Amino acid sequence: MIYWKNYPQLSLQLETVQKTLLATIKVKNPQTQAAILSLLSSGGKLLRPAYLLLFAELTSLDADKRIALASSIELLHTATLIHDDVIDKAETRRGVPTISHLYGNDVAVYAGDYLFVVIFKLMIKHALDLSNLSNRVDAMEKLLDGELGQMNLRFNTEQTISDYLNNISGKTAELFAQACAVAPFADGQDKLAKLSYDIGQNIGIAFQIMDDYLDYTADTTTFGKPVLADIRQGIYSAPVLFALSADENVADLLKKEDFEGVFARIKATHALEKTQHLARKYTRKALKLIEKLPENPVKSDIRQITENLLERKL
Amino acid sequence: MIYWKNYPQLSLQLETVQKTLLATIKVKNPQTQAAILSLLSSGGKLLRPAYLLLFAELTSLDADKRIALASSIELLHTATLIHDDVIDKAETRRGVPTISHLYGNDVAVYAGDYLFVVIFKLMIKHALDLSNLSNRVDAMEKLLDGELGQMNLRFNTEQTISDYLNNISGKTAELFAQACAVAPFADGQDKLAKLSYDIGQNIGIAFQIMDDYLDYTADTTTFGKPVLADIRQGIYSAPVLFALSADENVADLLKKEDFEGVFARIKATHALEKTQHLARKYTRKALKLIEKLPENPVKSDIRQITENLLERKL
């Protein structure tokens, strides 16, 4: 776990999570088995399990439960990635061919479904009682409802930054919020769970804005591939929305598919700087809330990891 | 519930299931909401909930649990239908446009995922304790593993009737088996659950063979549309497999995509009659096992409904 080399205890726990993930997948179809395992070991940072394990240090949960919960949140993330790749017709993910590209949409759709079931299996067998489980399921419902809700806004040039923030709250931030809150919640620490949830929400929102920002700055003279693909599908992230709100011609340029024109307006309206400022606002909110966590050696790790994560390249 | 008009009590219960299904779906995206509701009310027979409710008569489960379990099994069926339609690029289902066709694969994939979560929600909130739930999840894992397992065999002209039976055991029969067994299992009647599971398996296998048979007999001079689509995707059901095993030229004809030729061999090798006999074999097995159920007024309903279902057009 090279990304976590400065946090040896966390790194060890994440290795156990990694082993648990690989041991949990037992699909009859050998190709699907190989494809899921390869995705799970293709060097994702295990960010969500890491936050879960960090916040678990503030609880009295035993090691087995922590590992099971951390594994299940990474599986949930993985299941949504597999289904996202079907939807986006993506050919690679983290440098390896996607399941949908290698074996077709049929295998990819069922592989994601299979992971959903495995998630529940892990939660039921190792981690949660019925009332905790019920809360988890409500959270997953919220997450998927968020994914479905945002689809209304495709190609809508009237949407605002506030719509965008609403979308990424459901899409990205909910999973971070769950990662931070689930251990305190399972431990019965409702007040801490609420604070942790809010921290995770702000981290997730800042993380997604950063991601959308970096897509645009990968190459400064023209759109990068992911940006073009998104815009073509009617997905407008912060830079486009800031340009839309500052310059009434941008809506027309989008409709005419004049993407070079859109990019020129993004530059002229300082939309990228505004995006960066927006990300920073949520990063600061997250860091401010982290200060409210109870005193504990893990608190400075959470602060440091969050700063490193969100201030990369900013 | 016109299909169930001779069973007034069952028909009433199924109306409650129908209402529960509609009340359970609460998606923010109004189009998806409408699409799921329209699929749920498009006149499916509610076969699986019906079997669940019939077998529940042999238990002491209270009415609420029965309805929740019956609703969750229909939702599971519906979720797989929505994802199947994505995979098969189907444009209509039960005479209404599919979700994938109307709103795209993105909405359909997430709508199916959303239903998976709602299923767990229903089971947790209304029906099951943790150990029952754990058993349910194992069953769902088996079902999806079955779906994934069968994909290995596409375009494989060496596959046998035994492979086919193995596939449809996972794909279709498992859900019927669950429908029959879940109420006795939740009631702690393990022996009855085992017998009910076996009855459901045999009903499900016979049902799927019948379905595959009827696809071929819809038009006797040429292939029907669904048959052609299946064969083009490398899915070979019983009639093709019987022809393959009786005539060594069939494999070549399939490879050359000479589908008229394949159909001629299906006729010449009496593959349809063999398919019919195979279905009958499983129907008889199911009926024989039904006789072993404890004496109860519902027993003759189960027998009669099964005969009507499986002997249509045979």
Side-chain angles (χ1 to χ4, degrees):
Chain A
M1 294 286 145
I2 188 79
Y3 186 84
W4 303 106
K5 66 179 179 336
N6 297 330
Y7 308 91
Q9 200 204 333
L10 178 61
S11 190
L12 273 175
Q13 286 176 293
L14 287 172
E15 276 170 29
T16 311
V17 168
Q18 182 74 13
K19 276 179 205 150
T20 306
L21 291 173
L22 300 183
T24 308
I25 308 304
K26 281 175 192 150
V27 196
K28 267 187 203 158
N29 181 317
Q31 295 172 321
T32 315
Q33 172 79 6
I36 297 179
L37 293 188
S38 128
L39 180 58
L40 286 172
S41 44
S42 62
K45 293 190 199 74
L46 300 180
L47 266 181
R48 294 151 195 82
Y51 271 109
L52 192 147
L53 293 167
L54 289 164
F55 280 81
E57 291 293 316
L58 304 167
T59 73
S60 63
L61 285 194
D62 64 36
D64 282 1
K65 285 199 178 189
R66 295 178 190 200
I67 298 298
L69 288 171
S71 305
S72 69
I73 208 152
E74 184 66 14
L75 285 178
L76 180 53
H77 178 54
T78 307
T80 60
L81 292 184
I82 293 173
H83 280 179
D84 284 351
D85 289 338
V86 172
I87 289 166
D88 300 339
K89 302 188 181 77
E91 297 188 359
T92 59
R93 157 89 58 189
R94 296 178 191 151
V96 296
T98 60
I99 296 184
S100 42
H101 184 59
L102 265 184
Y103 305 116
N105 282 349
D106 43 5
V107 173
V109 169
Y110 288 131
D113 293 352
Y114 171 82
L115 288 186
F116 271 111
V117 174
V118 172
I119 292 159
F120 284 103
K121 199 175 159 177
L122 258 181
M123 292 198 295
I124 292 169
K125 296 219 164 141
H126 305 290
L128 295 172
D129 63 28
L130 213 51
S131 97
N132 264 311
L133 204 58
S134 168
N135 189 275
R136 249 12 42 227
V137 171
D138 287 347
M140 282 174 70
E141 188 185 11
K142 204 169 152 186
L143 204 148
L144 285 162
D145 197 23
E147 298 259 24
L148 282 163
Q150 71 162 349
M151 294 184 181
N152 283 334
L153 291 170
R154 291 212 170 172
F155 295 105
N156 182 344
T157 54
E158 311 274 299
Q159 67 183 291
T160 62
I161 283 290
S162 147
D163 294 323
Y164 165 78
L165 290 171
N166 210 10
N167 284 344
I168 66 179
S169 294
K171 198 181 68 168
T172 311
E174 179 65 22
L175 208 52
F176 277 92
Q178 291 298 324
C180 296
V182 65
F185 187 86
D187 196 39
Q189 296 195 55
D190 289 352
K191 216 180 139 187
L192 178 62
K194 170 81 184 72
L195 173 61
S196 307
Y197 183 94
D198 292 342
I199 292 170
Q201 266 280 334
N202 284 291
I203 292 173
I205 292 175
F207 180 79
Q208 183 63 54
I209 300 173
M210 273 288 305
D211 234 44
D212 292 336
Y213 168 81
L214 290 173
D215 276 348
Y216 278 82
T217 53
D219 183 338
T220 50
T221 56
T222 176
F223 283 131
K225 240 183 159 182
V227 168
L228 256 185
D230 270 5
I231 296 187
R232 281 221 169 92
Q233 289 182 63
I235 301 167
Y236 305 146
S237 68
V240 173
L241 296 177
F242 277 121
L244 266 169
S245 77
D247 182 339
E248 55 187 17
N249 296 311
V250 174
D252 272 350
L253 293 170
L254 281 170
K255 270 165 203 159
K256 281 189 278 182
E257 302 206 336
D258 176 357
F259 301 127
E260 289 300 320
V262 173
F263 196 57
R265 305 294 165 123
I266 286 175
K267 275 194 160 173
T269 58
H270 305 287
L272 289 178
E273 290 84 342
K274 289 176 190 168
T275 301
Q276 210 175 16
H277 287 143
L278 189 66
R280 279 219 177 99
K281 188 177 134 193
Y282 284 92
T283 303
R284 276 197 305 269
K285 270 198 201 178
L287 292 170
K288 210 169 155 186
L289 289 171
I290 287 169
E291 291 314 310
K292 294 191 183 173
L293 287 173
E295 285 316 313
N296 184 296
V298 83
K299 193 169 158 177
S300 71
D301 287 351
I302 293 176
R303 185 196 304 120
Q304 203 177 43
I305 286 166
T306 303
E307 280 176 348
N308 288 343
L309 177 70
L310 298 177
E311 300 194 339
R312 58 186 167 141
K313 298 196 200 169
L314 266 185
Chain B
M1 294 289 144
I2 188 80
Y3 186 84
W4 304 106
K5 65 177 181 337
N6 296 329
Y7 308 91
Q9 200 204 333
L10 177 61
S11 190
L12 273 176
Q13 286 177 292
L14 287 172
E15 276 171 29
T16 311
V17 168
Q18 182 73 11
K19 278 179 203 148
T20 306
L21 291 174
L22 300 182
T24 308
I25 307 303
K26 284 176 190 147
V27 196
K28 267 187 200 154
N29 181 318
Q31 295 173 320
T32 315
Q33 173 80 6
I36 297 178
L37 292 187
S38 129
L39 180 57
L40 285 172
S41 43
S42 63
K45 291 191 200 75
L46 300 180
L47 266 182
R48 293 151 195 84
Y51 271 109
L52 192 147
L53 293 166
L54 289 164
F55 279 82
E57 291 294 315
L58 303 168
T59 72
S60 63
L61 286 193
D62 64 35
D64 282 1
K65 285 199 179 188
R66 294 179 191 200
I67 298 298
L69 287 172
S71 305
S72 68
I73 207 152
E74 185 65 13
L75 285 178
L76 180 53
H77 178 55
T78 307
T80 60
L81 291 183
I82 293 173
H83 280 178
D84 284 351
D85 288 339
V86 172
I87 289 167
D88 300 339
K89 305 187 179 78
E91 296 188 359
T92 60
R93 157 88 60 190
R94 296 179 193 150
V96 297
T98 60
I99 297 183
S100 43
H101 184 60
L102 265 184
Y103 305 117
N105 282 348
D106 42 6
V107 173
V109 169
Y110 288 131
D113 292 353
Y114 171 83
L115 288 185
F116 271 111
V117 174
V118 171
I119 292 159
F120 284 102
K121 200 175 158 175
L122 258 181
M123 291 199 294
I124 291 169
K125 295 218 165 141
H126 305 290
L128 295 172
D129 63 28
L130 212 52
S131 96
N132 264 312
L133 204 57
S134 167
N135 189 274
R136 245 20 34 232
V137 172
D138 287 347
M140 283 175 71
E141 188 185 11
K142 203 168 152 186
L143 205 147
L144 285 162
D145 196 22
E147 297 261 23
L148 283 164
Q150 72 163 350
M151 294 185 180
N152 284 333
L153 290 171
R154 290 211 172 173
F155 293 106
N156 182 343
T157 53
E158 311 274 300
Q159 67 183 293
T160 61
I161 283 290
S162 148
D163 294 324
Y164 165 80
L165 290 171
N166 209 13
N167 283 345
I168 67 179
S169 295
K171 199 181 70 170
T172 311
E174 179 64 22
L175 208 53
F176 276 92
Q178 291 298 323
C180 296
V182 66
F185 187 86
D187 197 39
Q189 298 194 54
D190 289 352
K191 215 180 139 188
L192 178 61
K194 170 80 183 72
L195 173 62
S196 307
Y197 183 93
D198 291 342
I199 292 172
Q201 267 280 336
N202 284 291
I203 293 174
I205 292 174
F207 181 78
Q208 183 63 55
I209 300 172
M210 274 289 304
D211 234 43
D212 292 337
Y213 168 81
L214 290 173
D215 275 349
Y216 278 82
T217 51
D219 184 336
T220 50
T221 57
T222 176
F223 284 132
K225 238 182 159 185
V227 168
L228 254 186
D230 270 5
I231 297 188
R232 281 221 169 91
Q233 288 181 65
I235 300 167
Y236 306 145
S237 68
V240 173
L241 296 177
F242 276 122
L244 266 170
S245 76
D247 182 338
E248 56 187 16
N249 296 313
V250 175
D252 272 351
L253 294 170
L254 282 169
K255 269 163 203 157
K256 283 190 275 183
E257 302 204 339
D258 176 357
F259 302 127
E260 289 300 321
V262 173
F263 196 56
R265 303 296 163 124
I266 286 174
K267 276 196 161 171
T269 58
H270 305 286
L272 289 177
E273 290 83 343
K274 289 176 190 168
T275 302
Q276 210 177 15
H277 287 142
L278 189 65
R280 280 220 178 101
K281 188 177 135 192
Y282 285 91
T283 303
R284 276 199 304 268
K285 270 197 199 179
L287 292 170
K288 210 169 155 186
L289 288 171
I290 287 169
E291 290 315 312
K292 294 190 182 174
L293 287 173
E295 284 316 314
N296 185 297
V298 81
K299 192 169 158 176
S300 72
D301 286 351
I302 293 176
R303 184 194 306 120
Q304 203 176 43
I305 286 166
T306 303
E307 279 175 352
N308 288 344
L309 176 70
L310 299 176
E311 299 194 341
R312 56 183 170 143
K313 298 195 198 170
L314 267 185

